[in-house]
Amino acid sequence: MKFSKTIISGLMLFAAVNAFAQKKTEKFEKLQIEMFPKAKEGFKQVYVQLPVAKNENDLKVEFFVGTEKMLDCNKHFLIGKINTQDLQGWGYNYYEVESKGETGGTLMACPDQKLAKKFVYIQPETVRYNSKLPLVFYVPKDMEVRYRVLRPDAMKKAVQR
């Protein structure tokens, strides 16, 4: 009886520790975007708020502005550009997207002529990671912003000849 109580207690303790370890809480700075301008007609304002991270100077954020389209086997890209704007009086940046949604791409022969839904985007940009400031974008209503955080690998030594 005493042995089974010990095993049950141990299993409960293990489950509690495991649940606590899996519960990852991300801390965010207080979001402030009121100072940014309102979106123009036909555009929407979207933002990315990054969580507080250790060694933020080592991190970068790569963002992609685009849309999903039915496309063939060719490599496609969205025609347009991302303009960095200065928020006057604040020293913050925001991004305005110029694009009519037109795509360009390679002209390979696609034997099966199948179309697949793909995310096609303007040339991505990379910026420094800063959890204190949101990344604010003004994009056409039919587009979206996706991003990824770039983390450095361990430093490696070059080969010497």
Side-chain angles (χ1 to χ4, degrees):
M1 184 74 166
K2 190 174 185 180
F3 178 73
S4 63
K5 284 184 182 179
T6 304
I7 288 188
I8 291 172
S9 297
L11 288 173
M12 289 176 62
L13 180 62
F14 176 76
V17 168
N18 193 25
F20 179 76
Q22 287 180 356
K23 187 175 183 177
K24 182 180 178 184
T25 57
E26 293 183 310
K27 182 181 175 195
F28 291 92
E29 293 287 336
K30 185 178 179 203
L31 179 65
Q32 294 183 353
I33 60 170
E34 303 82 32
M35 71 284 285
F36 290 94
K38 300 293 180 206
K40 295 184 266 186
E41 181 85 25
F43 285 76
K44 62 184 175 182
Q45 180 192 58
V46 296
Y47 65 89
V48 174
Q49 184 180 14
L50 300 167
V52 175
K54 289 182 180 177
N55 302 324
E56 289 189 8
N57 289 333
D58 291 343
L59 305 177
K60 301 282 185 198
V61 178
E62 184 176 32
F63 60 84
F64 306 80
V65 179
T67 186
E68 287 190 346
K69 292 186 175 209
M70 296 300 289
L71 300 168
D72 60 17
C73 71
N74 284 287
K75 302 288 185 202
H76 293 86
F77 59 90
L78 197 62
I79 299 170
K81 67 182 200 176
I82 302 169
N83 297 313
T84 304
Q85 303 293 333
D86 181 46
L87 184 59
Q88 294 297 317
W90 290 86
Y92 303 161
N93 290 332
Y94 61 92
Y95 305 92
E96 287 184 346
V97 176
E98 287 181 36
S99 178
K100 293 182 173 127
E102 299 167 339
T103 60
T106 59
L107 297 173
M108 298 184 304
C110 298
D112 57 9
Q113 296 295 317
K114 284 188 178 178
L115 297 179
K117 188 179 255 188
K118 297 179 184 176
F119 183 68
V120 61
Y121 49 87
I122 298 170
Q123 177 70 37
E125 291 198 20
T126 304
V127 296
R128 70 184 197 90
Y129 191 104
N130 185 352
S131 63
K132 293 180 180 14
L133 297 176
L135 295 171
V136 179
F137 302 88
Y138 296 91
V139 299
K141 288 196 184 263
D142 60 341
M143 291 188 190
E144 63 182 283
V145 176
R146 297 182 183 181
Y147 70 97
R148 63 181 167 196
V149 176
L150 305 175
R151 301 175 190 285
D153 285 340
M155 200 176 294
K156 295 176 175 75
K157 192 172 183 179
V159 177
Q160 181 177 334
R161 288 188 179 207

